[in-house]
DNA sequence: CGTCTTTGTGAATCATACC
DNA sequence: AGGTATGATTCACAAAGAC
């Protein structure tokens, strides 16, 4: 749902304790006019000029108080600032939400081109993370271990002697004792995320547009699928798009009619929109997941973006024609995937078509594929299968076994 | 010079406009007792407990005002905070130095041994950078270009057409026109510097000790050799050590006699940590190629960097033990790879070993592998094989075919 | 229910075995 | 002797457990 209104009005009409998470990216108090043109000549502007800091802060406080009201008891709020007024905003957050409900100062860092000036290049923005109460929803995201870490630490159990000195644990026979399964390193409060898509650099987007990746992280750590996300200054709608991609419900509010229109378009049928501006927005979405990119890479493919039937083209031609590769998506049956690939691949006159199966399901055996299509299992699927077989061979079923 | 006194007293005795730069790392208002032992068992403590925030802020404001007095007109001040009270401190800085003299919010980020915690792992501290006047001393530090930067952008001269569109410049004969030598990318306000490691020899045991590298950057951008640096809460004396190493004069103040003693000792033979990480960079620990990383990723592995026999560990345990994965290297025969994996994997008590074959060669059939080792072909190899078969079926050999 | 103690943790070092 | 590979260790700090 996208609402065109001053968010204060819209918030007042909303039911209390109905929202799981609020992200807001309000005016920064830069005392500047923000405006940007897209290549179709349409101009998006909003004013960030204020009579005084007091009036800006009053504006913010009123809205934050209403936000607190609509938040569920275990809900979270993320307030995006740059360094013009972050200290004032945090004071208000302390007052409205309570300083004991401050959770983190998240730093979003990025590298960007910049003309030389006297001083350091600004390369970060701050997001204040508060929760409504001490009993809040939080999903830990685990990241990879540092390259300096050795595996012993991850795999081996350790003990402490009476002085508190730690050492690795061995059993009576002198063998290593395994630690229980670990999940990786919990995410830090510093997030390095590139500023939009590098390709979008020379194009323009809605002012202050944020990367989807940033919003995805915020949504992931603070909500579950089906929860409701609110963005009271939704702008071009990045928050809503991220929420939709992650299966969350969403409410966006913006007082600017063209922003609301833009959100609606981005959310409904992004592929069909004409505007150059919108395409920029879509480019900045991840159309391929990390796993898909990695898989295409291992197959020796060039990645193809924005084609429903083809994910990659092999770097090597066979029979003097390209070979199209498609990876079965989560929501696709093998037959659906095969049909999409077949249609797209024939149009491009590919010699062979390669379909990578990523999940096994009952109907796969009957899938009808043309003679020039090779269906292969993803490495993960193959390995899973192999390990399952091995496990049953050994006659022992592990608790963690799939 | 190191002075043992409350810095308010010491500052009052100092001459006005005599200092080029002040760095201070005052108590953070954590409301905790800070204490730490050095390796000889000596214990250093200081209290960061306060009656109230007001008393803490009064304490800070008095000292900041004196600091302003002793700063030269073109001088700078760097105030080190964590997120407990940074917003309050910045308010005071705005009042004492003027918000128009705010230059940057420097973010020092680091990775640190983690701990269990509901929420994000703290991985940064903040340094507020103000100058006394608008006419301040600043030395730009240039860093290396990011590896993704197109080399043309650095080396080629560029021109703008009448519409303002930029393009590379060529001379009449179509040759590239070289740009004048560039110095690199000016430093950003986000600094990634390794945290002083628990095993580092340079650790003095004094709480809150900062890395010399951090202070070097601050001193470099704001002062020239021969200038005078002041640290009113000098603690273990890192600022003074960095100043001495860079040929700056220095004044340190601390109320703690053992801190002053420690400073004296460190200054006798000032040294920067021989941090291997800092010297060679995190990338030198990353020994995997893009392809290997992609493959490990598709298999669902955590990457293992510091082991010759193991490239990754599956995220999921089988039979309650880890599964080690190795990718056959170009120069390795299958047998060599299997032996390395076997040795390393058994030492770590892995349940299964997975060897990914990346090239087919004659001797592979005879490779002897243990019962718990799964040898699988890389997806690229599988696909190549499949395509070759298909091609011969079709009875046509492609020119590009392998 | 506070306060003290124990435990789990992983980054980046030191230490040592092995060429 | 020098370098490399990798095992071992320290520390801070939140959470759980003990008292």
């Amino acid at each position: 749902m996208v609402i065109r209104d001053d968010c204060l009005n819209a918030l007042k009409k909303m039911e209390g304790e109905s929202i799981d998470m609020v992200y807001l990216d309000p005016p920064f108090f830069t005392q500047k006019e923000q405006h940007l043109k897209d290549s179709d000549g349409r101009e998006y502007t909003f004013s960030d000029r204020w009579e005084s800091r007091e009036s800006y802060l009053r504006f913010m406080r009123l809205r934050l108080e209403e936000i607190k009201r609509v938040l569920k008891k275990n809900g979270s709020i993320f307030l995006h600032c740059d360094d013009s007024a972050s200290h004032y905003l945090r004071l208000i957050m302390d007052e409205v939400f309570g300083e004991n409900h401050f959770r983190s100062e998240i730093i979003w860092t990025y590298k960007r081109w910049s003309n030389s000036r006297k001083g350091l290049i600004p390369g970060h923005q701050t997001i204040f993370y508060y929760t409504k109460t001490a009993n809040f929803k939080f999903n830990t995201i685990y990241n990879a271990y540092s390259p300096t870490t050795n595996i012993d630490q991850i795999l081996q159990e350790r003990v402490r002697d009476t002085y508190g000195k730690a050492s690795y644990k061995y059993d009576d026979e002198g063998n290593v004792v395994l630690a229980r399964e670990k999940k990786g390193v919990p995410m830090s409060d510093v997030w390095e995320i590139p500023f939009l898509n590098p390709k979008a650099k020379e194009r323009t987007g809605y002012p202050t547009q944020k990367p989807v990746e940033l919003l995805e992280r915020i949504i992931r750590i603070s909500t579950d699928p089906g929860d409701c996300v609110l963005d009271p200054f939704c702008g071009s709608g990045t928050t809503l798009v991220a929420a939709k991609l992650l299966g969350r419900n969403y409410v966006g509010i913006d007082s600017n009619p063209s922003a609301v229109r833009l959100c609606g378009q981005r959310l409904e049928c992004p592929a069909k929109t004409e505007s150059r501006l919108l395409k920029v927005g879509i480019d900045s979405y991840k159309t391929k997941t990390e796993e898909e990119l990695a898989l295409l890479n291992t197959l020796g493919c060039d990645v193809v973006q924005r084609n429903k039937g083809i994910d990659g083209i092999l770097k090597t031609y066979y029979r003097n024609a390209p070979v199209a590769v498609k990876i079965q998506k989560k929501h696709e049956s093998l037959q659906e995937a095969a049909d999409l690939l077949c249609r797209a691949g024939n149009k491009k006159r590919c010699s062979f078509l390669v379909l990578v199966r990523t999940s096994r399901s009952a109907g796969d055996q009957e899938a009808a594929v043309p003679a020039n299509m090779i269906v292969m299992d993803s490495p993960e699927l193959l390995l899973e299968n192999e390990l399952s077989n091995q496990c049953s061979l050994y006659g022992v079923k592990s608790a963690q076994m799939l």
Side-chain angles (χ1 to χ4, degrees), chain A residues 239-341:
Chain A
T239 309
L240 315 182
V241 169
K244 190 173 186 182
L245 288 172
L246 293 172
R248 272 68 167 174
N249 298 310
Y250 51 85
V251 179
I253 310 172
D254 207 294
S255 57
N256 185 335
S258 59
V260 172
R261 204 174 323 121
L262 183 55
C263 282
Q265 289 168 344
R266 269 179 99 185
L267 286 164
E268 270 166 35
C269 47
K272 280 185 186 163
T273 50
E274 311 284 310
S275 155
R276 180 83 183 278
L277 173 62
L278 279 178
K279 286 185 195 151
V280 173
I282 291 146
D283 274 351
S284 71
Y285 303 170
K286 287 180 300 182
T287 50
K288 302 260 183 295
T289 64
E290 287 293 323
E291 294 79 41
E292 286 166 347
L293 286 174
L295 187 43
L296 291 169
N297 195 342
T298 63
L299 290 171
C301 283
D302 287 324
V303 176
V304 173
Q305 297 282 5
R306 303 220 254 137
N307 186 310
K308 245 190 162 179
I310 302 178
D311 290 323
I313 299 282
L314 279 197
K315 285 191 208 299
T316 316
Y317 278 24
Y318 279 80
R319 305 190 67 224
N320 297 318
V323 177
V325 178
K326 177 171 168 60
I327 299 169
Q328 180 192 8
K329 304 290 176 298
K330 264 194 194 125
H331 54 86
E332 283 171 351
S333 73
L334 196 66
Q335 184 67 63
E336 284 165 352
D339 292 344
L340 281 168
L341 171 59

Side-chain angles (χ1 to χ4, degrees), chain A residues 60-76:
Chain A
M60 285 305 301
R61 176 196 290 275
L62 284 171
R63 282 152 187 81
L64 288 171
E65 279 166 352
E66 282 304 314
I67 287 168
K68 186 183 177 188
R69 188 184 61 80
V70 304
L71 261 186
K72 285 190 192 164
K73 286 214 169 64
N74 65 352
S76 310

Side-chain angles (χ1 to χ4, degrees), chain A residues 28-317:
Chain A
F28 283 167
F29 191 65
T30 54
Q31 293 293 31
K32 283 178 195 159
E33 205 79 23
Q34 300 285 344
H35 54 100
L36 266 165
K37 264 188 210 153
D38 70 15
S39 47
D40 300 337
R42 239 177 311 191
E43 190 164 329
Y44 296 90
T45 59
F46 69 82
S47 171
D48 189 13
R49 282 192 204 281
W50 304 84
E51 213 173 89
S52 65
R53 174 150 47 223
E54 286 63 43
S55 71
Y56 169 71
L57 294 175
R58 194 161 346 106
F59 172 93
M60 285 305 301
R61 176 196 290 275
L62 284 171
R63 282 152 187 81
L64 288 171
E65 279 166 352
E66 282 304 314
I67 287 168
K68 186 183 177 188
R69 188 184 61 80
V70 304
L71 261 186
K72 285 190 192 164
K73 286 214 169 64
N74 65 352
S76 310
I77 172 169
F78 295 82
L79 174 60
H80 197 126
C81 314
D82 80 347
D83 55 22
S84 332
S86 62
H87 44 324
Y88 291 99
L89 287 175
R90 187 162 162 208
L91 281 178
I92 295 180
M93 291 291 279
D94 273 357
E95 287 174 34
V96 175
F97 288 90
E99 59 185 291
N100 53 328
H101 296 139
F102 167 76
R103 298 265 88 86
S104 288
E105 178 184 75
I106 297 170
I107 304 292
W108 168 36
T109 75
Y110 43 83
K111 299 200 164 63
R112 77 172 162 191
W113 272 118
S114 159
N115 41 355
S116 50
R117 64 161 209 175
K118 194 174 172 185
L120 301 165
I121 308 290
H124 76 277
Q125 288 175 22
T126 304
I127 299 164
F128 292 123
Y129 166 28
Y130 283 71
T131 53
K132 184 161 175 177
T133 64
N135 180 24
F136 57 97
K137 185 180 278 189
F138 187 85
N139 303 314
T140 305
I141 295 182
Y142 294 94
N143 291 323
Y145 292 92
S146 160
T148 61
T149 305
N150 47 355
I151 40 173
D152 313 80
Q153 303 195 88
I154 304 166
L155 299 180
Q156 281 183 237
E157 181 82 17
R158 280 176 288 181
V159 285
R160 250 191 254 255
D161 68 14
T162 44
Y163 304 103
K165 209 167 104 94
S167 61
Y168 288 128
K169 190 173 176 181
Y170 296 90
D171 64 17
D172 296 340
E173 285 150 27
N175 295 317
V176 162
V177 176
L178 287 175
R180 64 169 190 281
E181 200 175 339
K182 302 225 171 84
K183 287 174 241 161
V185 187
M187 192 160 66
S188 126
D189 59 4
V190 179
W191 299 353
E192 188 175 339
I193 300 173
F195 209 97
L196 275 177
N197 184 304
K199 276 187 184 164
K201 205 180 285 173
E202 297 207 10
R203 310 175 194 171
T204 55
Y206 194 84
T208 76
Q209 189 177 332
K210 303 293 177 291
V212 177
E213 167 77 15
L214 180 73
L215 273 303
E216 279 190 353
R217 288 200 196 177
I218 290 175
I219 292 170
R220 277 222 168 87
I221 62 174
S222 60
T223 66
D224 295 318
D227 285 355
C228 191
V229 171
L230 167 67
D231 186 342
F233 297 89
C234 67
S236 57
T238 307
T239 309
L240 315 182
V241 169
K244 190 173 186 182
L245 288 172
L246 293 172
R248 272 68 167 174
N249 298 310
Y250 51 85
V251 179
I253 310 172
D254 207 294
S255 57
N256 185 335
S258 59
V260 172
R261 204 174 323 121
L262 183 55
C263 282
Q265 289 168 344
R266 269 179 99 185
L267 286 164
E268 270 166 35
C269 47
K272 280 185 186 163
T273 50
E274 311 284 310
S275 155
R276 180 83 183 278
L277 173 62
L278 279 178
K279 286 185 195 151
V280 173
I282 291 146
D283 274 351
S284 71
Y285 303 170
K286 287 180 300 182
T287 50
K288 302 260 183 295
T289 64
E290 287 293 323
E291 294 79 41
E292 286 166 347
L293 286 174
L295 187 43
L296 291 169
N297 195 342
T298 63
L299 290 171
C301 283
D302 287 324
V303 176
V304 173
Q305 297 282 5
R306 303 220 254 137
N307 186 310
K308 245 190 162 179
I310 302 178
D311 290 323
I313 299 282
L314 279 197
K315 285 191 208 299
T316 316
Y317 278 24

Side-chain angles (χ1 to χ4, degrees), chain A residues 351-384:
Chain A
S351 56
F352 293 105
L353 308 169
V354 177
L355 178 58
V356 181
R357 178 159 60 169
T358 57
S359 65
R360 224 176 284 270
S361 65
D364 289 0
Q365 300 306 328
E366 295 102 49
V369 301
N372 68 333
M373 186 181 292
I374 296 163
V375 180
M376 63 187 285
D377 285 354
S378 75
E380 196 173 12
L381 207 58
L382 274 174
L383 183 55
E384 241 170 44

